[in-house]
Amino acid sequence: MGGGTAGGEANGIDSRLPRYLALRDDLAAKIAQGGWNFVDPLPSEMKLAKQYGVALGTMRRAIEELVREGVLERRHGSGTYVRRSDFSGSLSRYLRFRSTHSTIAFQESRVLSVRRRRPNAPVSERLGLDSHAQAIFIDRKRYHDGELLVTEEIWLQPHRFAPLLSMPLERVGPLMYRTYEDDCGQIVTRAEESLKISTADAELAASLDVEPGSPVVTIERTSFDVAGLALEWRRSHARADHFEYRIEIR
Amino acid sequence: MGGGTAGGEANGIDSRLPRYLALRDDLAAKIAQGGWNFVDPLPSEMKLAKQYGVALGTMRRAIEELVREGVLERRHGSGTYVRRSDFSGSLSRYLRFRSTHSTIAFQESRVLSVRRRRPNAPVSERLGLDSHAQAIFIDRKRYHDGELLVTEEIWLQPHRFAPLLSMPLERVGPLMYRTYEDDCGQIVTRAEESLKISTADAELAASLDVEPGSPVVTIERTSFDVAGLALEWRRSHARADHFEYRIEIR
DNA sequence: TAGTGGTCTAGACCACCGA
DNA sequence: CGGTGGTCTAGACCACTAC
C-alpha cells in the first residue's frame, strides 16, 4: 500500500507522528530500558521491518535517526549496535587543562562520597523530582599532576542510579558516564551546558587551593537519556588558569 | 537500472563517492559560488533529479545532507532555498551577557577599521594563506548599555571579502555573518571555537575599561564555508563579569 | 488546483564481515 | 558463503503553499 495509509501496526507508542518517528521512539524506549546490550547486534533491519510491519526503508530511517543521535551504531557487514558512548567524553572531549605547556587531559579523579540527599528546588526541578524527594548525590574532585583543578557536585535520578550507592567509591569514577552505562544501564545521549566566570569565595578558594577572589569557571550541565529524561545535573568549579574549552559549532 | 552501476552522469565533481555525496558536493560548490540566491527556490527535487539523471530519492538524500549542514532549507509546499544563516548567531545563540539581572544580547557594535593587513604566522596558516600574503583585518568593539564588553580582531580571506573594504564602517556591523552573505556572498556553515580565561594586561585592561589583572575571556574562532575553506579567524576578548556561554552537546 | 516537499513502499544490486 | 548494512531506483499517496 502506498502512502501514509496505515496497514497493521498495533505497537506504536505514538499516534499521529510519521511512522519512522514513532518507530524511533519505540526503539529509543527499548534501548533506554536496556532492551539490548552493547555487544550483540540488534535484529537486522529486515527482521525489525517485518516485526513492525513496515517497509525496509522506513525502518532504516528510524534507525538513522538514532544513529544521528549517537545512540545506535552501524557496522557494515556486521549489524547495528547500541553505542557505547564516547560521550563519556564531552568533558574529556571539550575540556582541556593546559599543564604549563602541553595539553593533557585529566589524570586523577577522586569520589569523596555517594549518598542519598535532598536537592534544593532548582536541582529538584531540573531532574523532574518531587520537591521533597531525595536524589543521589556525588561529591567529586579532579586532579592533574597532583594539583586540584576541579570540584564537582553531581545529582542523579534516585531510582535509576541506585547501584552506585552500594559500590566502592574507587569504582564509581573516573569515567562517570561509563559507570552509568555499565553499572546502571543508563545511557546519556545529550546534554546542555552553561559556563560562567566567577571569583572564588573563601570556601571555594580553600577547596580549590587558590587565593580568594581568584577567577573560577563554573560549568553547569544537565544530561538526558534517549527518551528525553534528565538523568543528571552537575555543577563543576574549575580553576581558571590552565583552563580551555573547545567546541565545534554547526 | 538498479544499484550503483552508473548510468549517464558526466557532471559529477567526484568519482568514487556515492552518487548522493557527489551530488551534495556539486550543489555545495554551486551554492558557494552564489549560484542561487536566498529568495528564490532551487529547482524542484524532481527537476534536479532529472537534470542530474538520478532518481528522486538520491537527489533528496543529497539535499538532505545540505539541510543537515544548515546550508539549505526546505519549505513544505513551497520549495528548497539557500538558507540565510541564523548562524550569524553562534555568538548571539551561545553567548549571553548578563546585564545585572536580565539576560540580554548585545546592543551595539562598532567597527573601528577595515583594512588590508598582513597577519602573523598562526593566523596566516589558519586561513591557508601564503606567509607574506595580506588578509582583511577588522577591528571591532561591542557594547551593552553603553558599557564596553568585547573587543574583537577579525581576519578574513582577502579575495572573498574585498567588498567590505569599500563599505562605510557603519554598514559592516553589527551582524557580520549577515554582511558576509549579503555583500560578499560568503556563507559560513561551520566553526571551531576555543575559550580560555586570562587576566587583562595593561593594554587590554584599558581597552575593556577594567582593572589590570581582572579576568578576561578569550574566544578564538575559525569559520568555514560549505566547501571546507577557512573564511574567517577571529579573536574576542570579553569582560568575564556578565559573561555566560551556553551550549548543547550531542 | 497545480506544484512542492514529506512519507512510504517494494525490490534491485553492491560492499563488507565473519564463519 | 550467507547475512548485514549501503546505495539506488521507480512509483505511490499525503500535506502543504501559493496562486
Side-chain angles (χ1 to χ4, degrees):
Chain A
M1 86 218 53
T5 319
E9 197 94 347
N11 37 12
I13 286 182
D14 241 290
S15 44
R16 259 352 348 129
L17 283 176
R19 288 219 241 207
Y20 73 96
L21 284 181
L23 287 174
R24 179 257 169 229
D25 288 351
D26 204 72
L27 296 176
K30 186 144 184 177
I31 295 164
Q33 289 161 26
W36 291 297
N37 61 39
F38 297 109
V39 294
D40 302 310
L42 273 59
S44 73
E45 300 175 340
M46 261 290 287
K47 280 177 192 159
L48 283 172
K50 282 184 178 163
Q51 203 177 269
Y52 281 90
V54 298
L56 183 62
T58 305
M59 180 52 72
R60 277 185 64 80
R61 190 158 178 191
I63 292 173
E64 235 139 61
E65 287 291 320
L66 292 166
V67 170
R68 273 201 308 105
E69 295 171 36
V71 180
L72 292 180
E73 181 187 354
R74 294 181 137 137
R75 298 182 205 156
H76 198 157
S78 170
T80 302
Y81 299 78
V82 176
R83 182 150 164 264
R84 163 155 268 138
S85 55
D86 61 22
F87 178 88
S88 344
S90 84
L91 255 193
S92 8
R93 264 193 298 166
Y94 301 128
L95 260 190
R96 290 288 181 278
F97 284 79
R98 311 193 302 284
S99 159
T100 321
H101 294 95
S102 64
T103 296
I104 309 180
F106 288 114
Q107 298 294 41
E108 199 193 339
S109 145
R110 187 173 307 168
V111 173
L112 302 185
S113 76
V114 179
R115 63 178 202 273
R116 291 191 193 282
R117 186 178 168 191
R118 204 178 136 235
N120 62 19
V123 175
S124 190
E125 190 188 348
R126 268 176 251 252
L127 291 179
L129 299 175
D130 286 340
S131 61
H132 52 285
Q134 289 203 319
I136 292 175
F137 172 78
I138 298 179
D139 192 3
R140 186 199 198 197
K141 294 185 187 299
R142 301 184 181 204
Y143 303 81
H144 178 67
D145 283 345
E147 205 176 11
L148 176 60
L149 293 184
V150 184
T151 71
E152 273 176 336
E153 50 174 320
I154 302 177
W155 297 86
L156 297 166
Q157 286 287 344
H159 302 307
R160 307 237 182 168
F161 294 92
L164 298 182
L165 293 167
S166 48
M167 277 171 59
L169 294 185
E170 318 81 65
R171 285 205 45 230
V172 175
L175 297 171
M176 302 296 296
Y177 291 101
R178 191 57 171 262
T179 306
Y180 296 168
E181 289 182 1
D182 293 350
D183 298 292
C184 309
Q186 301 300 314
I187 306 177
V188 170
T189 61
R190 192 179 71 78
E192 292 169 2
E193 207 160 275
S194 117
L195 188 154
K196 297 178 193 177
I197 315 299
S198 57
T199 50
D201 60 19
E203 186 189 346
L204 188 55
S207 75
L208 278 179
D209 191 25
V210 294
E211 295 295 315
S214 303
V216 169
V217 179
T218 300
I219 300 176
E220 296 182 355
R221 181 199 295 173
T222 311
S223 301
F224 304 86
D225 76 357
V226 215
L229 177 74
L231 293 177
E232 177 203 68
W233 183 85
R234 66 165 71 182
R235 178 160 53 193
S236 312
H237 295 292
R239 290 179 51 164
D241 51 343
H242 305 296
F243 174 86
E244 181 175 358
Y245 190 84
R246 284 179 188 279
I247 197 80
E248 182 174 13
I249 303 173
R250 281 190 174 279
Chain B
M1 87 218 52
T5 319
E9 197 95 349
N11 38 12
I13 286 183
D14 241 290
S15 46
R16 256 357 343 132
L17 283 176
R19 291 232 259 252
Y20 73 95
L21 284 181
L23 286 174
R24 179 254 168 230
D25 288 352
D26 204 71
L27 296 176
K30 186 144 184 178
I31 294 164
Q33 290 161 26
W36 291 297
N37 61 39
F38 298 110
V39 294
D40 302 310
L42 272 60
S44 73
E45 299 175 340
M46 260 289 287
K47 280 176 192 161
L48 282 173
K50 282 184 178 164
Q51 199 176 113
Y52 281 89
V54 299
L56 182 62
T58 304
M59 180 52 72
R60 277 186 63 81
R61 190 159 177 191
I63 292 173
E64 235 138 60
E65 287 291 321
L66 292 167
V67 169
R68 275 201 307 105
E69 295 171 35
V71 180
L72 291 179
E73 180 187 356
R74 294 180 135 138
R75 298 182 206 157
H76 198 157
S78 170
T80 301
Y81 299 78
V82 176
R83 183 151 164 263
R84 163 155 269 138
S85 55
D86 62 21
F87 177 88
S88 343
S90 86
L91 256 193
S92 7
R93 264 195 299 167
Y94 300 129
L95 260 190
R96 291 287 180 279
F97 285 79
R98 310 193 302 284
S99 159
T100 321
H101 294 95
S102 64
T103 297
I104 308 181
F106 288 115
Q107 299 292 43
E108 200 193 340
S109 146
R110 187 173 306 168
V111 173
L112 302 184
S113 76
V114 179
R115 64 178 200 273
R116 293 191 191 282
R117 186 178 168 191
R118 204 178 134 234
N120 62 20
V123 174
S124 190
E125 190 188 348
R126 267 175 253 252
L127 290 179
L129 299 176
D130 286 340
S131 61
H132 53 285
Q134 288 203 318
I136 292 175
F137 172 78
I138 299 179
D139 192 3
R140 187 200 198 198
K141 294 185 186 301
R142 302 186 182 202
Y143 303 80
H144 178 67
D145 285 346
E147 206 177 10
L148 177 61
L149 293 183
V150 184
T151 71
E152 274 175 336
E153 51 174 320
I154 302 177
W155 298 85
L156 297 166
Q157 285 287 344
H159 303 307
R160 306 236 181 170
F161 294 91
L164 299 182
L165 293 167
S166 49
M167 277 172 59
L169 294 184
E170 318 81 66
R171 285 205 44 230
V172 175
L175 296 171
M176 301 296 296
Y177 291 100
R178 191 60 170 261
T179 306
Y180 295 169
E181 289 181 3
D182 292 351
D183 299 292
C184 310
Q186 301 300 313
I187 306 177
V188 169
T189 61
R190 193 178 72 78
E192 293 169 1
E193 205 160 277
S194 117
L195 188 154
K196 297 178 193 177
I197 315 299
S198 57
T199 49
D201 60 19
E203 184 189 347
L204 188 56
S207 75
L208 279 179
D209 191 26
V210 295
E211 295 296 315
S214 303
V216 169
V217 180
T218 301
I219 301 175
E220 296 183 356
R221 182 198 296 173
T222 312
S223 302
F224 304 86
D225 76 357
V226 215
L229 176 74
L231 293 177
E232 177 204 67
W233 183 85
R234 66 165 72 181
R235 178 159 52 193
S236 313
H237 294 292
R239 289 179 51 164
D241 51 343
H242 306 295
F243 174 85
E244 182 174 358
Y245 190 84
R246 284 179 187 279
I247 197 81
E248 182 173 14
I249 303 173
R250 281 191 174 278

